[in-house]
Amino acid sequence: MVAAQVRVTQPYVFHFFKTKEDLYLAVLDRAIQRLIEAFGAVKAPPEQLAERMGNAFDELMKTYRDEILLFMQSFATSEADVREYVRKQFEMIHGVVKRFADTGIPNPIQQASLFIACGMMITLLEVLALPQLGDLGGSDCYG
């Protein structure tokens, strides 16, 4: 199906990706890089950092919805090697988000964890097509 979608032969796809898992991990890598670049590019004063990083995440969801959803939910796969790979990638993204510590925001590690939790909630609600479950009483997840 991938070969047909990009209009190449199946052997050509397997020339670059030896297994389906390799192809899957390449797609995940692409999404991860988009997240890291988007979060790393945000420049904002401390009181606006979470909100602006949230806006960057929202923009990724609009532009690369399927990639981002795939990554954000890939921890649920039955493949142990993929789950471990994804766990390490989330740990790396958490490290990028921990830049809150450089801004003087109180409890930066906790704030980074809450930021990622908000992203997980947003992607789950997106998949379920239930955005109303994300109503936090007049505030949003990112500030």
Side-chain angles (χ1 to χ4, degrees), residues 75-114:
F75 62 86
T77 184
S78 61
E79 299 295 324
D81 290 343
V82 173
R83 279 195 319 272
E84 178 58 18
Y85 174 81
V86 171
R87 187 196 65 74
K88 288 178 181 177
Q89 300 312 310
F90 269 103
E91 187 174 47
M92 183 172 55
I93 289 172
H94 188 262
V96 171
V97 175
K98 283 194 307 190
R99 67 187 266 219
F100 290 163
D102 299 335
T103 67
I105 293 174
N107 303 314
I109 305 301
Q110 179 184 22
Q111 291 302 316
S113 296
L114 288 172

Side-chain angles (χ1 to χ4, degrees), residues 59-70:
E59 190 60 36
L60 286 173
M61 285 291 290
K62 290 176 189 169
T63 309
Y64 302 104
R65 180 183 183 275
D66 292 342
E67 278 181 40
I68 301 303
L69 289 177
L70 180 69

Side-chain angles (χ1 to χ4, degrees), residues 1 10 22 26-27 36 38 41 44 47 62 64-65 69 72 74 76-77 103 107 114 117 122-124 127 132 139:
M1 288 173 27
Q10 189 173 6
D22 288 345
V27 172
I36 289 171
E47 64 277 3
K62 290 176 189 169
Y64 302 104
R65 180 183 183 275
L69 289 177
M72 297 295 286
S74 58
T77 184
T103 67
N107 303 314
L114 288 172
I122 288 167
T123 57
L124 177 62
V127 169
Q132 67 273 19
S139 65

Side-chain angles (χ1 to χ4, degrees), residues 1-8 13 23:
M1 288 173 27
V2 170
Q5 185 69 31
V6 294
R7 297 185 178 122
V8 298
V13 172
L23 176 59

